[in-house]
Amino acid sequence: IFFVFIGFFSVFYNMFIRKKVDVTAMGRSGLRTLSFRERLAESLIYVAGCAASLILAVLSYTACLSQIFHGYRGQEAVEAFTDGGNIITRISFFLGLLEDYVFGGMFKSLLLLFIVLIVIIQIVGKILDNTSGARVSLSVNISDSMKKVQLVMPSICILLLSVICYFLVVAKTALLLGATSNRYEMPVYGIIIMLVFMGLDFVLQECLMMLVKKKYKFIKMASFVCISILLLVVDIKGILLDENVLFLYPEAEERVTYAKENSDIPVIIMFNDSTPDNVWRLTDQILSYPEAYYVSEGNTEEITDETIISAEKLIVYAADHDNKEALLQMIVDSNESLEQVTERYSEEMWTMYVVE
């Protein structure tokens, strides 16, 4: 999806905005005007390359089409995309994940810092206008850094627009599975980080050039140090303080230990018949038991297994389902020795109970 957007914006820029090309690297100086035929040829080559890569990707994993457009995932994605009432809820959900798991809860602070630096640049620029007539602005080439920025600005704009479109489309269609939904937006997380800190580095250098009369090399190094410290602060807060690390679960050690210590107790795994594959989330705990009883939560038939109806204690892993509470009560009713169900812990999609 991301490459569809980046391809579209690249072709649009090449066909309708990009009129000239820098030929300095070819031994000539200045810019050369590109004809419509040349721009069309470049665009067709680019589109052909994107199409070929997409076809090869599908051929290497043909099941992707079925997963995208069919089954419960595909149906839910289509329903979510066509539902106009969930726009704010879904975008807020994924922005929250971006805030917590990518920027350590500091995304809003970084945006505020970016705005403050721009305001400082504008204020100082006006002061310089009124005093010495020297206007320093983001839109004027006052240094080599500005020239480099202007050269890469089209690429940055294409990346930014592609990231925004991808983020919104995925936010509108992806499954809402708590923190694990991060995986749907992960393809652009690295690009978002790059764009945010590139923007901060750019405005910070401009701000320092106005306030500190030093050589550009000093300004560049000072900005690099500041951005590095800022990145370190974000990492420390997100990883060490907030402990927002994807797919690393410290609490799993305690749960596996409990499973090993109680491996002699019969265990029942009540799985959601719509998402039976989600049993993989319990793999580290299930492997601690010599055997396990798997029960579909769509099955409400009477329990007759001798081990279950005669056990003095049971461990039950129950997936989220409309029949979950009813099945737990059936387990209690099927065994005269069992009286109560106690919830031990709950994680995404699963709850672990002790029945005794």
Side-chain angles (χ1 to χ4, degrees):
I1 296 175
F2 175 72
F3 285 104
V4 170
F5 286 123
I6 201 170
F8 170 78
F9 289 119
S10 296
V11 171
F12 181 86
Y13 168 75
N14 194 50
M15 291 296 298
F16 302 105
I17 300 176
R18 180 177 176 239
K19 302 295 183 181
K20 297 181 179 181
V21 61
D22 188 353
V23 294
T24 303
M26 304 176 188
R28 290 171 286 177
S29 60
L31 301 174
R32 184 175 71 84
T33 302
L34 290 171
S35 66
F36 176 80
R37 180 176 294 181
E38 289 175 312
R39 286 182 279 128
L40 178 61
E42 288 185 5
S43 298
L44 290 176
I45 292 172
Y46 186 87
V47 170
C50 291
S53 63
L54 180 62
I55 292 172
L56 290 174
V58 173
L59 290 177
S60 65
Y61 185 55
T62 53
C64 68
L65 296 177
S66 177
Q67 292 184 357
I68 294 173
F69 299 108
H70 300 287
Y72 79 97
R73 289 181 182 270
Q75 292 175 0
E76 184 172 334
V78 172
E79 292 173 0
F81 188 78
T82 55
D83 182 6
N86 62 10
I87 296 176
I88 296 177
T89 302
R90 282 180 158 269
I91 292 177
S92 300
F93 173 78
F94 281 98
L95 283 176
L97 295 181
L98 180 73
E99 169 88 13
D100 295 335
Y101 287 88
V102 180
F103 292 99
M106 297 179 64
F107 186 56
K108 296 185 184 71
S109 301
L110 293 174
L111 291 181
L112 179 61
L113 175 61
F114 183 81
I115 294 171
V116 169
L117 289 173
I118 290 179
V119 171
I120 292 174
I121 291 171
Q122 297 299 322
I123 293 174
V124 174
K126 289 182 179 180
I127 294 173
L128 292 176
D129 273 346
N130 296 331
T131 55
S132 61
R135 179 70 173 103
V136 183
S137 171
L138 291 173
S139 60
V140 178
N141 287 328
I142 62 171
S143 66
D144 291 338
S145 65
M146 293 301 97
K147 293 178 182 179
K148 293 178 181 178
V149 167
Q150 282 200 337
L151 286 174
V152 300
M153 186 57 69
S155 300
I156 292 175
C157 291
I158 289 171
L159 273 178
L160 180 61
L161 289 172
S162 300
V163 165
I164 291 173
C165 290
Y166 176 91
F167 188 90
L168 294 177
V169 169
V170 171
K172 194 70 172 68
T173 57
L175 298 176
L176 303 183
L177 305 173
T180 57
S181 291
N182 271 294
R183 65 181 183 266
Y184 300 118
E185 299 284 9
M186 271 186 178
V188 295
Y189 276 169
I191 301 175
I192 293 174
I193 294 171
M194 180 191 71
L195 291 174
V196 168
F197 284 97
M198 276 183 64
L200 284 172
D201 180 55
F202 169 60
V203 295
L204 182 57
Q205 285 189 36
E206 283 297 290
C207 192
L208 290 174
M209 290 173 69
M210 292 180 173
L211 301 175
V212 182
K213 292 185 178 181
K214 295 287 185 179
K215 291 183 178 180
Y216 174 62
K217 287 185 179 180
F218 174 85
I219 298 295
K220 190 175 181 179
M221 180 57 66
S223 178
F224 172 77
V225 172
C226 292
I227 295 299
S228 299
I229 293 173
L230 196 57
L231 272 167
L232 186 61
V233 170
V234 171
D235 286 341
I236 290 174
K237 184 178 183 302
I239 297 174
L240 300 181
L241 299 182
D242 298 340
E243 296 185 352
N244 284 331
V245 182
L246 286 175
F247 308 119
L248 292 177
Y249 309 105
E251 67 274 11
E253 182 178 356
E254 178 185 347
R255 295 171 184 175
V256 171
T257 300
Y258 179 86
K260 290 180 179 179
E261 291 176 350
N262 295 273
S263 59
D264 57 327
I265 299 175
V267 60
I268 300 174
I269 300 169
M270 294 167 30
F271 61 88
N272 189 319
D273 49 346
S274 298
T275 56
D277 54 300
N278 275 322
V279 173
W280 70 265
R281 298 175 185 273
L282 305 174
T283 302
D284 52 353
Q285 299 168 63
I286 295 174
L287 293 177
S288 301
Y289 300 98
E291 61 180 6
Y293 295 84
Y294 288 84
V295 178
S296 170
E297 288 176 316
N299 182 2
T300 56
E301 294 183 7
E302 182 183 357
I303 299 173
T304 58
D305 187 278
E306 185 63 31
T307 301
I308 304 300
I309 62 177
S310 62
E312 296 183 359
K313 184 177 181 180
L314 292 170
I315 294 175
V316 179
Y317 294 90
D320 294 340
H321 193 279
D322 293 339
N323 291 341
K324 181 173 71 173
E325 299 299 331
L327 287 175
L328 287 171
Q329 188 59 47
M330 286 180 60
I331 292 173
V332 174
D333 295 341
S334 68
N335 189 327
E336 296 180 355
S337 302
L338 304 178
E339 297 179 354
Q340 63 179 3
V341 179
T342 304
E343 179 180 329
R344 183 171 177 82
Y345 73 83
S346 180
E347 59 181 326
E348 293 178 3
M349 301 186 182
W350 291 92
T351 305
M352 191 267 220
Y353 299 94
V354 176
V355 187
E356 54 189 347

